[in-house]
Amino acid sequence: MSTGAIIEGRTGPWEMVLGLEVHAQVISKSKLFSGAATAFGAEPNAQVSFVDAAFPGMLPVLNGECVRQAVRTGLALGCTINRWSRFDRKNYFYADLPAGYQISQYQHPVVGEGALEIALEDGSTRTVGIERIHLEQDAGKSIHDLNPELSYVDLNRAGVALMEIVSKPDMRSPEEAGAYVATLRAILRAIGACDGNMQEGSLRADVNVSVRRPGAPFGTRCEIKNVNSIRFIQQAVAFEARRQVAILETGGTIHQETRLFDPDRGETRSLRSKEDAHDYRYFPDPDLLPLELSEAFIEECRASLPELPAARRMRYEAELGLSPYLARLLTADMEQSVWFEALLAETAARQGRPAREVAEKAANWMTGELFGALNRLGLGIGQSPVSPAQAAALLAMVADGTLSGPLARQVFELMLETGEDPAAIAEARGLKQVSDTGALEAAIAEVLAAHAAKVAEYRAGKDKLFGFFVGQVMKATGGRANPALVNTLLRQALG
Ligand code: ADP
Ligand code: MG
């Protein structure tokens, strides 16, 4: 993926301008205005209250937990929190919206402006402005592909609480859009406001794209609805920007419209133009009072926030001396960084050394060996067959010379298979490194005796043969000889 924001057209360079509206499902046992459950994967229409089905006379009751999560999210993104906000009705007709309106926040959202810092591949950073965050209900789902003559409606999602997080049009490349969503997702997961599961639709984005000559005023935008993976967001943005450039370069104009991304074809297609846009006739919902937040409530939300990924990343660099690359990798996901910190604590304790001295080795092992293995096995960090304590035991055996690098890798493979401790595995399979001087001297003597001619050549000045002797000794000891010790003893024997 190119990091450059510039598209080279036939008539010169163009720049893309991107703004995202991210819909994040709030983690909450019940819906925004009803007591119905929200768990994913239930039987159709098993989680629908009379409120969600819009039975006459039913009244919405605001779920305080959803408000708390929206405020926590706003605070985590450095946003202003509006002490006074209001719920409005957004009126439109659709089969999966029984009330005929969605309750949302229009002019007065609960959260105002803020900013999110994103880090790019090349190590540079950008700040993306947040315009607002408001609370709203999700709609139900129409199902058209189960029966050739009928459409079905599943209202399980109807009324589920969503936060709509609206960015400013501050992104300039597919990479920036991807980094924005990944960073936002990590924060939402870290604070427990949204599980970030894009396959299940807990996090999805409407992507606004326009193009312009560098430095010119913004062009007309198109909005790509409901894109549900970071890769698709990047593909959709890249396709859409090129499509707009092609139109502009042949003398055409862009008409504001809503488009859909087709992942199979990698292209966007028109859904409806702005001219067909609904007039939603927003008005304040008369069933709900305005939402007023106390300072105490906001402070309680603030106090409940854990250390955020950006702060963690800076701490890893400053306190642990990790490279920006490793620090970013280990803080991209909360579960992974919790695992890393457990590994680090165990490693430092076992080796009786300060965390800072063992951090880089532990981080390299985790991001290299462990992530590699989990990737291969298709497992998340939560399903790792090896615990942080077991991993620390393995690293300690390397540090004290019991295991060489290659032996440690063999032991690790067996740990993945059996879940056993490394000491038990090394003992049972005879995988310990040989650091016994007597045994190694004997092996060296045998090797030198068997290759008398080469020994003579070496002594006559053919230095390069040293590696050959090391190799022979390693072979003779089944790869278990301590390499540093072999080096020293060989030099003595040959010298
Ligand atoms: P609407 O209410 O019509 O959706 P908004 O002002 O809420 O319009 O903007 C929606 C999103 O579109 C925001 O994320 C914003 O950053 C983005 N956006 C606005 N103008 C542009 C533009 N010219 N190009 C790309 N994105 C834009
Ligand atoms: Mg909008």
Side-chain angles (χ1 to χ4, degrees), residues 20-26 32-33 62 66-67 69-71 73-74 77 79-82 84-88 90 102-113 130-138 160-167 206 223 225 282 291:
L20 267 59
E21 298 163 89
V22 169
H23 293 265
Q25 181 175 331
V26 179
L32 184 53
F33 297 112
L62 180 60
C66 300
V67 174
Q69 293 293 25
V71 170
T73 303
L77 297 174
C79 298
T80 53
I81 305 300
N82 293 325
W84 191 97
S85 66
R86 190 177 74 193
F87 288 96
D88 302 291
K90 180 181 182 179
Q102 174 195 31
I103 305 177
S104 180
Q105 297 190 299
Y106 182 51
Q107 281 164 339
H108 299 280
V110 62
V111 176
E113 288 183 39
I130 305 288
E131 178 74 45
R132 58 187 281 168
I133 304 176
H134 63 257
L135 277 167
E136 63 183 30
Q137 304 172 293
D138 205 351
V160 162
L162 302 178
M163 292 184 277
E164 180 170 332
I165 304 164
V166 183
S167 88
D206 297 345
E223 180 179 11
K225 276 281 180 204
Y282 280 99
L291 176 59

Side-chain angles (χ1 to χ4, degrees), residues 17-21 166-169 208-210 218-219 221 274:
V17 172
L18 314 170
L20 267 59
E21 298 163 89
V166 183
S167 88
K168 305 214 173 198
N208 295 273
V209 182
S210 65
F218 287 161
R221 69 189 155 101
K274 198 69 181 179

